[in-house]
Amino acid sequence: MNDALAKSAAELDRIGDGSQPAVSSDLSYPPIERPRASFEPVAMQHFLDGEHRPVRELVKQIVTQPEFRYFAGTDHLAFRRQVLAWTKRLADAGIGRIFMPKNFGGEEDPAKFMAAGETLGFHDLSLLIKFGVQFGLFAGSIQRLGTESHHRKYLVDAASCQLMGCFAMTEIGHGSNVQALETTAVYDPTHEQFIIHSPTFSAGKAYIGNAASDARLAIVFAQLAIGGEQQGVHAFLVPLRDESSRPLPGIAIEDDGYKMGLNGVDNGRIWFDHIRVPRTALLNRFADVDSAGKYQSQIKSAGARFFTMIGTLVGGRIAIAASGNSAAKAGLTIAIRYAARRRQFGPGKPPGKETLLLDYPATQRRLMPLLANAYAVDFALKHLVALSAKTPDGASRAIETLAAGLKAWSAWNTTRTIQAGRESCGGEGYIAANRFAALKADTDVFATFEGDNTVLMQLVAKNLLTDLKDHLKDLRPVQLTGFLLNKKMSGFTRTMPLFTLNTSRYHLLDANVQLSYFKHRESGLLLQVGGAFRRLIKNREMDAYTAFTRLQPELLELADAYVEREILERFTAVVENASDRTLHTPLRRLRDLFALYRLELHKGWYLENGVMSGFKAKAISRLVTALCADLRQDAVALVDAFGIPDSCLAARIAL
Amino acid sequence: MNDALAKSAAELDRIGDGSQPAVSSDLSYPPIERPRASFEPVAMQHFLDGEHRPVRELVKQIVTQPEFRYFAGTDHLAFRRQVLAWTKRLADAGIGRIFMPKNFGGEEDPAKFMAAGETLGFHDLSLLIKFGVQFGLFAGSIQRLGTESHHRKYLVDAASCQLMGCFAMTEIGHGSNVQALETTAVYDPTHEQFIIHSPTFSAGKAYIGNAASDARLAIVFAQLAIGGEQQGVHAFLVPLRDESSRPLPGIAIEDDGYKMGLNGVDNGRIWFDHIRVPRTALLNRFADVDSAGKYQSQIKSAGARFFTMIGTLVGGRIAIAASGNSAAKAGLTIAIRYAARRRQFGPGKPPGKETLLLDYPATQRRLMPLLANAYAVDFALKHLVALSAKTPDGASRAIETLAAGLKAWSAWNTTRTIQAGRESCGGEGYIAANRFAALKADTDVFATFEGDNTVLMQLVAKNLLTDLKDHLKDLRPVQLTGFLLNKKMSGFTRTMPLFTLNTSRYHLLDANVQLSYFKHRESGLLLQVGGAFRRLIKNREMDAYTAFTRLQPELLELADAYVEREILERFTAVVENASDRTLHTPLRRLRDLFALYRLELHKGWYLENGVMSGFKAKAISRLVTALCADLRQDAVALVDAFGIPDSCLAARIAL
């Protein structure tokens, strides 16, 4: 500033006539300051990429080609065409075939497919969703719910985008409660056909990706009725459009129009007017109707059958959590790099030398815990993907619970992370060219689709209560406490007074101590909610639904405690097992910050339950601030290690 | 569902040939359920409207006219033209003249002007911002910083939109630290001119509303230098464009392009290349340069002078807080009305009868505290407006502090409220036609402009520390504690043990008890931070800047405590003074919920400092849940009372 003033004063004689350039040569921001980190970013990137590094590289190679430059206009119809063309390029590169059976040219590798989707999360999220709808929900459901003949007829064309399709589950009136869908599929034995019908406005399928213009075939979830008897929700293949993309007779389609984000995806609503499809249109792996109209299923319980059929959603939930985390990583990369070049305010000595945003404790406290979360979610999801790949059909109650919980937690974390990143970039964060506009708008619905977050968290809590009940059958109260302590806690209650008061750094950075606190919160809430539930039912004679509803706020907290304990456990295992020891320090710091930041956030619970002293809570807060400062030196390297291509970041403040 | 199935089965004989309508007659959502409220919504609306009801009605009358229908396209240049035309319509109706001096046809009524702006917050927010830039920042600064000749020359044309202008303070390199702006204004005594210049890229004025296309005149903030001596930041009138809207020689303007939101406003960047303006271009109310080049100001301290000159921002901050709260009210109205018509899941008895979202404790807990916040912010801002209108030039340290704090708190509350509203509407919330897309994108920058929220909260804390220091001069430590207790607390520490443990409903709903807790947190944090600050400076010999920076996390918490105490005090006064006693019950419930929800949120602090027992914290949580349920019956009436016109809400799920 002083220099500038002096220069201006010296230039007094020169007359400003507009012939001189108005701007001097420094036409951009100062460089991003990259201090020497405690580790090699490339080593961390390889660690994060893991065994699926090749497919991640392949996806990056594709999306960094010139034709994948982000769509710049505001015409959402042109945007949709662009995204369709991109999707076909992915299909051409074989990405859509990865999960398919080997006898159809696939690799039967869902974990690899998931890694591809996670990497796509660095690029335009409309493309990611279109990719997910076409290959994951549409082709994936044909594979998972259909049988050989369906596979033969459709899979290759679906994976190559020769046949675009959609997954028509959600209805206007029913998104979360899909067991109460209104669309009907009535079997007509005379013609051996199902009649698919939308009896009301609210029975219309809603927000269906690919429905507004591209899909020619739909997987329609409908209430199957045979001879007046209801058999519950089943999936049917229903043609939507002819070869020239005109809707078929009896199919009414409405474009969902402009959305907050994801405008490269053609979402739409569909109503069916007594559409007849052959008996073979039923995706019949788990239940079938024979030519005589007899219903048969090897899964006897209607509930179990339904659960198996919507198991397809588990993969989708993991994918949403992972790609949402990729978007959060992009937001963090932009925010942290900008904070490493932007200066504002300063000590005044030397004059004009202002402080880097990243050196402010407020910035560190705002961004570092979110950086730790991005790593934490990453590791937890990799664990879940591996678990899911090992399980036949990819679903068990444990996996369903974890997928639901991580999806919700990750989606909310994505929203918070992108918001904090945007705010910490100030005005630049608001300019569309700096990417936050798209990141924020596109990921906003991650909290809703593939299962509303609040509903999913209740599903988590319900499953935890069911687990508890299963054990309660065999246990008396005393044993129950023992069960919980064994299963969830490391028994620290026995030494409670000392534990509660210990404020030493050594103690607070002990992974077992951190985990004990997480487990204590989870099991404490489980016992509390379980007890309250039983009292409501027994003493006040409520039905289970009413009792469960009454306890919603507590159930949501329980689910949160479960997810965070799962994440911390996984993070701890990752730190312990990391073969590259040069990564140990940053990983441990991130783990510590994740753990202690959550303890600080939930200190109210720990304090009110007497398992943490006020002094300890304050010590934790101080340590969180210190850990944030410790990570400052590594912060840029830690986002560089995400390995997001420049053309995907595409934010001028971050390059 | 059962009925539908039965109907479908009965229709088996009918052949679905597409000739029948695909959708039955119930082409929309079921009606919003409006149970009998405990008060008359109209009475509450009148209460909220207050003395400025006429201008609120006038603004509503204007923006509900057909030509104010929301812009539907995606071409942001057309959107800008639309918003400019709307702004002119407001000028034609005399809205832009309200604040002006009476001798120029104005009413000199800033409070009325603020009410107009608050009401505009129900409509398109690009219009609100354009209105604020043109009438508040541009015309308002000419009035406030200029003298008679400037008023005569520009005010009438500015208020009528004959002369569009802009307020060019922020630069690419300096947004928050405006004392370090780089733009220079060097006085040339020979020609009696100032030479306005942008010496670097980062000196470019940035995000300047009206700059990209409409402004012909700019108020430019620049470092004044006379004869090599720096006099600090001053404001100058600098022509930008000729009559045909072409930028003048030496002026380089760049369009900020597409933004996350507010795309109806033409934000741009401006660089000046030695632009010469006459001596009279200095807005010279607080400082002047005479023809001989002698600088003079009646305000001796450079700091005080700067503070006075940027006092214009105080009005802007109040306006942002108020209109942001209007947007939050719109989001709440949509979310609560939808929750009062949308059903999902249910007890199964009677079959098909599902539960209204608004009857779920999770929904109540999500939306009711935010509803209470909207009322709370409303009352706090009305108080601030009244205070500010009574103060000559509208600025004192107390007002500056309160405006900064309420702006930041309200902007963050707006972001959270709209986000929660969007999520609680599920997929419908994501469809642009339901308004959340615009509300969210447009208000996002409220946390940044007119002062970055985090910086403003530090300003609040700094002012509180300065107040404390002013008192410290005269007081010994013992007296200090007394001072704090007298000023901020009601002395409950004397009866601490009983107070800490009391969990009775009567006690928790006592306004004095609630306020005591708020005051205790504020004064406790003030004492703590003040002590830490002094220790860092005295014992560790830090300079004030470094010590202040080190304490950022604590300072932000202190500022939060101050703002919340201010809000609760005002809310309590409103409840006590409400002349319409029929409104007493809902107002008291909202006040209680506001207070107890904050106590729950901050229970960690109260517990760790030993002023709340664990039992009490749990009792508070139960009471929050109960209050949310108590408000359920009144919820729709409470949003109806905001009085937002249907054409402004414009969300199909809320009408």
Side-chain angles (χ1 to χ4, degrees), chain A residues 272-322:
Chain A
F272 304 95
D273 181 15
H274 300 92
I275 299 297
R276 289 179 167 267
V277 292
R279 190 170 57 88
T280 53
L282 173 66
L283 291 173
N284 59 342
R285 179 164 163 213
F286 298 110
D288 206 355
V289 177
D290 69 17
S291 57
K294 190 169 170 337
Y295 180 81
Q296 47 207 357
S297 171
Q298 71 273 42
I299 308 173
K300 295 302 157 209
S301 139
R305 206 182 307 137
F306 178 73
F307 170 71
T308 307
M309 286 189 196
I310 65 163
T312 330
L313 292 175
V314 168
R317 284 172 188 161
I318 303 175
I320 289 305

Side-chain angles (χ1 to χ4, degrees), chain A residues 14 20 26 172 174 177 201 273-274 342 354-355 360 362 412 422-423 430 440-441 444 545 552 618, chain B residues 14 20 26 172 174 177 201 273-274 342 354-355 360 362 412 422-423 430 440-441 444 545 552:
Chain A
R14 231 190 101 232
Q20 302 289 323
D26 54 338
I172 294 168
H174 290 90
N177 186 12
F201 163 75
D273 181 15
H274 300 92
R342 165 79 172 180
E354 294 179 276
T355 306
Y360 283 112
W412 273 327
R422 196 309 277 161
E423 289 184 25
Y430 200 63
K440 188 172 151 160
D444 187 81
Y545 169 82
Q552 269 184 339
K618 289 177 184 179
Chain B
R14 232 190 101 232
Q20 302 290 323
D26 54 337
I172 294 168
H174 289 90
N177 186 11
F201 164 75
D273 181 14
H274 300 93
R342 165 80 171 179
E354 294 179 278
T355 306
Y360 283 112
W412 273 327
R422 195 309 276 159
E423 289 184 24
Y430 200 62
K440 187 171 151 159
D444 186 81
Y545 169 81
Q552 269 183 341

Side-chain angles (χ1 to χ4, degrees), chain A residues 157-174:
Chain A
D157 283 354
S160 68
C161 289
Q162 284 298 307
L163 174 68
M164 297 298 288
C166 65
F167 182 85
M169 179 182 273
T170 298
E171 296 176 355
I172 294 168
H174 290 90

Side-chain angles (χ1 to χ4, degrees), chain A residues 380-556:
Chain A
L381 285 170
K382 282 202 178 89
H383 168 67
L384 174 58
V385 167
L387 215 61
S388 170
K390 270 188 285 186
T391 311
D393 292 325
S396 67
R397 190 157 77 206
I399 287 175
E400 186 203 40
T401 307
L402 190 51
L406 281 177
K407 184 273 184 183
W409 204 94
S410 168
W412 273 327
N413 181 61
T414 294
T415 299
R416 273 192 302 265
T417 301
I418 291 170
Q419 184 66 33
R422 196 309 277 161
E423 289 184 25
S424 79
C425 291
E428 283 288 17
Y430 200 63
I431 303 295
N434 287 320
R435 280 289 286 162
F436 282 106
L439 288 173
K440 188 172 151 160
D442 288 346
T443 57
D444 187 81
V445 78
F446 283 37
T448 297
F449 62 18
E450 306 294 316
D452 177 273
N453 271 11
T454 303
V455 174
L456 289 182
M457 285 304 239
Q458 289 176 67
L459 173 66
V460 168
K462 196 177 149 205
N463 287 355
L464 296 175
L465 282 180
T466 306
D467 286 345
L468 177 66
K469 209 179 102 194
D470 289 350
H471 285 276
L472 275 179
K473 281 181 199 149
D474 316 316
L475 298 170
R476 279 163 299 145
V478 178
Q479 287 175 309
L480 171 68
T481 312
F483 154 73
L484 284 166
L485 288 175
N486 288 333
K487 186 159 187 288
K488 306 284 180 182
M489 299 173 62
S490 58
F492 76 77
T493 42
R494 276 181 296 252
T495 53
M496 193 68 88
L498 269 181
F499 195 97
T500 303
L501 292 168
N502 196 335
T503 60
S504 82
R505 190 182 164 96
Y506 177 82
H507 170 80
L508 293 173
L509 296 181
D510 180 334
N512 286 322
V513 170
Q514 295 163 2
L515 203 50
S516 291
Y517 268 111
F518 277 57
K519 286 177 172 176
H520 189 77
R521 178 163 167 257
E522 182 192 6
S523 57
L525 285 164
L526 182 59
L527 272 178
Q528 181 203 325
V529 177
F533 188 73
R534 205 164 39 174
R535 278 192 299 280
L536 287 174
I537 288 184
K538 293 215 168 158
N539 305 353
R540 299 179 59 181
E541 298 184 349
M542 273 184 196
D543 61 77
Y545 169 82
T546 309
F548 196 81
T549 297
R550 180 72 62 90
L551 293 169
Q552 269 184 339
E554 292 83 0
L555 291 163
L556 294 174

